[in-house]
Amino acid sequence: MSLLRLVPRQLLRHPLRTLLTIGSLAVAIFLLCILRSLVTTLEATATTARNDRLWVQSAVSLFVGMPAWYPDRIAQVDGVQNVARWQWFGGYYQDPSNFFAQFAVDPQEVVEMYPELVVVEGSAEAFLAGRNCCMVGRGIADDFGWKVGDVAPITGALFPHPDGADKAWEFEVAAIYEPGARNFDDRTLFFHWKLFEETLTKPDESPGVGAIVVRVKDDADPSTVMGAVDELFMDGPQRVQTTTESEFQAQFVSMFGNIPFFVSAIGGGVLAAVLLACINTMLMAAREQRREAGVLKALGFSDTRVGSVLLFQSLFLTLVGGGLGMFLAKGIEPGVLGAMSAIMPGFMIETETLGLGLLITVLAGLVAGILPALATRNLTVIAALGARD
Amino acid sequence: MSDGIQLQDVTKTYQRGGEELRVLDQLDLSMEAGHFYALMGPSGSGKTTLLNLVGGLDLPDSGSVQVAGQDLGGLRGAALSAWRARSVGFVFQGFNLIPVLSALENVALPLALTPLSRKQQRQHALAALELVGLADRAKHRPGQLSGGQEQRVAIARAIVTDPRVLLCDEPTGDLDRDSADQVLGLLQRLNQEMNKTLLMVTHDPSAAARAQRIVHLDKGRLGGVEEVETQDPPGALA
């Protein structure tokens, strides 16, 4: 008969109280894992982005277009390997609630510049060959049931079809990709710039360019190229701001505000509240088990052994709660990934985050259990049994 | 060194409300091994304190306490705990069973401090429960037992490690007359058939009459030791 057998039995003495404490800890650790993963995912988006790709945007704002001739001028800068135009299309499939990212791009250049776009169905060649072809991410292909060869009708909210606002743009699905890195999602549709340009504009007109991606030659210094591109348009007609892709992603992340601080504050607050609840639970348990602790000591169990029963109860409580929270967080990971992939591609709960959750769980158990355990350890048999005459 | 219980010049004081309370005052007492002693006296006379000192639950301010050949003055902490586990069994007024454990698990608790295997622990605990006539209640929890049955389980727990000394603090205080008779009969048999040294604190003269000798305490001093002339014969142990 080991004293450890007492640990779960004592906790089950008040099943509702134990259940509520476990539940509160599970929620806290669940939140911690999810919130922490939002931060690590955002950071990973920036850190996995490459420095040999530069993003050129209007110095005014990302949402202000640049003259259509800028890409040709940038392509002439020393150190530039090639240039791709990107334009946010802002359409939807069938219903405005089916919102996802679509970009008009220079297809050849994008395929060359982004090896992390791994084509898993159809082919990049097929995508490049047809002017009305598109390449879509696995996520939206699955959501909308698109297969290679299907037509994806997209209603242009920002760029209505010239034949009528109700008429959808039609793109033939030629390739389905999966992201090979965490800086890319699987819910984007790429289609040909030429189709975009020719459909929207009359001869000698251009819709402008939202962003220009520059691939720097392997032997060139990205910062020198960045300076040269900015210098190029210093006198107008519109100044540009050039950053590396990782800086661009970091700026995008910063648009969410100081998320790490925000997340840490929320997570820390929740944890502190739950920790106080755990301490309270264990102090109540120590008070209830005071007499039994005295009996165990009278029977010959050492002070440390009797005190450790309470410490193990605390650890058991927090490990079950924390484990449940981590299990739930890992369980809903695919759901969060699907729901947030448009704004936060590559969401995942990393092993380090689970490790942090486990560490906090163990620390919470130790902190909640140490005071009751020490008090019980230092309790004399006489005081515990109230035996004095 | 005797196998019985010897207290020499023992003084014990407590602080209560800023006042020093002398509970035992230069007490000298000798009790023989294998005898059944009842300890009587008015409230505050030092009965429970004496029991605590003999059981190694507390230490005297001065004087010496020797139990079953061991001078307790030389023991502290873990050594004192280990001695308690080996040498004495406790029976309390409120039974003090662990409510979340079955009768069998309660009885087996002290065996966790022995090198016995889990199977052997179970066998020993079952044997002790049989001895007190409660083998059929092995799986019951304390809340499912009557007061008398709880106290018999507590006695089984006290004897399961085969200690030489049993210390009982008002063991029948919370029991009705029939249950008290059963418990006292059991204690008598443990003394007579297993040669246990018993020291029982009681307020009840009829309970004290089941002992062989009655020690009277008064204001922390020995009031006298009375030989009990006739005893009810206990039945044989199962």
Side-chain angles (χ1 to χ4, degrees):
Chain A
M1 171 67 209
S2 163
L3 275 194
L4 285 179
R5 189 173 288 190
L6 276 173
V7 171
R9 299 275 186 93
Q10 293 287 22
L11 288 172
L12 288 173
R13 198 171 179 171
H14 297 283
L16 182 62
R17 187 175 76 192
T18 299
L19 204 67
L20 290 174
T21 308
I22 285 175
S24 61
L25 200 80
V27 169
I29 295 295
F30 169 82
L31 274 177
L32 178 97
C33 288
I34 295 294
L35 294 175
R36 177 72 198 150
S37 296
L38 293 179
V39 174
T40 56
T41 301
L42 285 171
E43 288 171 351
T45 303
T47 53
T48 55
R50 292 166 55 154
N51 283 321
D52 60 0
R53 287 194 297 244
L54 308 179
W55 278 72
V56 184
Q57 66 175 80
S58 164
V60 178
S61 162
L62 181 59
F63 304 103
V64 173
M66 293 171 287
W69 51 271
Y70 271 28
D72 291 338
R73 289 290 303 276
I74 292 171
Q76 293 166 16
V77 172
D78 278 349
V80 172
Q81 184 167 305
N82 55 10
V83 169
R85 291 171 287 189
W86 283 58
Q87 179 61 52
W88 173 255
F89 186 64
Y92 58 84
Y93 172 60
Q94 293 181 335
D95 185 272
S97 62
N98 293 329
F99 171 81
F100 62 99
Q102 308 104 30
F103 289 98
V105 296
D106 289 314
Q108 179 75 44
E109 286 76 5
V110 164
V111 168
E112 286 172 10
M113 283 185 193
Y114 287 91
E116 54 265 61
L117 291 174
V118 181
V119 176
V120 290
E121 282 182 40
S123 67
E125 290 74 22
F127 167 52
L128 298 175
R131 199 176 65 109
N132 65 333
C133 286
C134 69
M135 176 164 63
V136 300
R138 162 67 70 200
I140 52 166
D142 287 348
D143 279 1
F144 301 144
W146 292 341
K147 298 180 187 65
V148 171
D150 287 353
V151 170
I154 304 296
T155 304
L158 292 177
F159 300 101
H161 198 284
D163 295 344
D166 293 340
K167 181 175 169 59
W169 295 61
E170 293 187 339
F171 308 114
E172 182 188 334
V173 178
I176 295 174
Y177 76 87
E178 286 179 0
R182 291 185 66 187
N183 59 320
F184 242 96
D185 63 31
D186 65 350
R187 302 183 63 80
T188 301
L189 181 150
F190 298 98
F191 65 97
H192 288 231
W193 180 273
K194 269 193 168 27
L195 176 72
F196 173 70
E197 188 175 46
E198 290 170 9
T199 306
L200 284 179
T201 58
K202 296 168 186 167
D204 303 327
E205 282 186 5
S206 169
V209 184
I212 302 161
V213 180
V214 175
R215 171 70 165 90
V216 179
K217 287 179 180 169
D218 291 341
D219 58 354
D221 175 21
S223 58
T224 306
V225 176
M226 283 162 58
V229 171
D230 286 346
E231 184 68 26
L232 205 56
F233 307 108
M234 194 57 79
D235 298 325
Q238 189 175 140
R239 289 188 178 188
V240 298
Q241 180 185 338
T242 308
T243 55
T244 61
E245 186 175 83
S246 55
E247 283 174 347
F248 180 80
Q249 296 281 14
Q251 281 178 22
F252 193 69
V253 167
S254 71
M255 287 165 65
F256 291 96
N258 192 347
I259 284 185
F261 172 76
F262 190 60
V263 164
S264 300
I266 292 176
V270 170
L271 265 178
V274 170
L275 184 60
L276 291 176
C278 288
I279 292 173
N280 188 43
T281 297
M282 290 315 302
L283 286 173
M284 281 196 284
R287 203 159 47 240
E288 287 162 2
Q289 294 167 34
R290 181 183 167 95
R291 195 168 185 84
E292 289 152 36
V295 172
L296 291 175
K297 290 186 180 191
L299 293 178
F301 289 94
S302 68
D303 293 342
T304 304
R305 215 163 155 185
V306 175
S308 68
V309 172
L310 272 157
L311 189 61
F312 280 119
Q313 283 180 52
S314 179
L315 280 169
F316 190 92
L317 197 67
T318 57
L319 281 172
V320 170
L324 186 64
M326 286 186 274
F327 179 76
L328 288 176
K330 199 67 186 164
I332 69 151
E333 184 187 59
V336 176
L337 177 64
M340 302 187 68
S341 65
I343 56 169
M344 200 169 289
F347 176 86
M348 68 178 289
I349 297 171
E350 295 176 348
T351 309
E352 286 80 1
T353 300
L354 292 177
L356 179 69
L358 181 64
L359 180 69
I360 289 175
T361 297
V362 172
L363 285 177
L366 290 174
V367 170
I370 197 76
L371 278 178
L374 282 176
T376 303
R377 180 184 179 276
N378 296 332
L379 190 66
T380 64
V381 181
I382 309 289
L385 298 178
R388 188 180 290 176
D389 181 6
Chain B
M1 194 174 278
S2 162
D3 270 0
I5 299 168
Q6 282 82 39
L7 292 95
Q8 289 182 330
D9 201 20
V10 168
T11 295
K12 181 68 184 177
T13 55
Y14 291 120
Q15 295 290 328
R16 191 172 288 170
E19 195 178 328
E20 191 174 84
L21 200 66
R22 182 166 288 212
V23 185
L24 293 179
D25 188 7
Q26 295 180 310
L27 180 71
D28 287 308
L29 178 62
S30 180
M31 291 177 271
E32 289 178 51
H35 280 63
F36 185 176
Y37 288 85
L39 194 54
M40 296 191 77
S43 292
S45 59
K47 304 184 297 292
T48 300
T49 299
L50 192 153
L51 205 68
N52 291 340
L53 294 179
V54 171
L57 301 179
D58 207 352
L59 296 168
D61 297 338
S62 62
S64 76
V65 179
Q66 291 178 14
V67 181
Q70 175 69 52
D71 184 354
L72 302 190
L75 298 176
R76 292 287 186 281
L80 191 56
S81 296
W83 174 82
R84 271 202 305 271
R86 266 195 325 271
S87 309
V88 291
F90 291 93
V91 180
F92 305 97
Q93 179 177 357
F95 322 135
N96 284 340
L97 298 176
I98 309 291
V100 294
L101 299 179
S102 68
L104 183 69
E105 289 168 332
N106 265 288
V107 175
L109 255 182
L111 297 173
L113 296 164
T114 67
L116 293 176
S117 69
R118 191 169 289 186
K119 188 179 174 185
Q120 288 171 319
Q121 288 180 25
R122 185 181 159 80
Q123 287 169 343
H124 278 65
L126 263 175
L129 273 176
E130 273 177 27
L131 205 63
V132 300
L134 286 174
D136 59 333
R137 297 283 190 274
K139 290 183 178 173
H140 288 61
R141 289 203 176 177
Q144 298 169 310
L145 301 173
S146 69
Q149 288 172 331
E150 278 195 83
Q151 193 60 297
R152 281 151 66 195
V153 172
I155 291 171
R157 181 178 66 186
I159 60 172
V160 73
T161 53
D162 196 23
R164 292 155 85 173
V165 178
L166 281 185
L167 303 174
C168 311
D169 192 359
E170 301 263 16
T172 58
D174 284 357
L175 301 179
D176 58 51
R177 175 51 56 192
D178 287 345
S179 299
D181 276 345
Q182 281 185 3
V183 166
L184 289 167
L186 184 59
L187 293 176
Q188 275 184 305
R189 294 202 299 271
L190 289 171
N191 164 246
Q192 291 171 10
E193 296 177 25
M194 300 179 76
N195 205 32
K196 303 290 180 199
T197 305
L198 262 100
L199 180 57
M200 175 180 73
V201 169
T202 184
H203 279 108
D204 179 4
S206 63
R210 305 289 281 268
Q212 293 163 323
R213 290 170 189 164
I214 301 174
V215 176
H216 292 278
L217 281 185
D218 189 21
K219 294 178 183 170
R221 289 175 176 269
L222 186 62
V225 178
E226 176 188 352
E227 200 82 25
V228 178
E229 290 180 359
T230 57
Q231 289 185 37
D232 296 336
L237 281 171

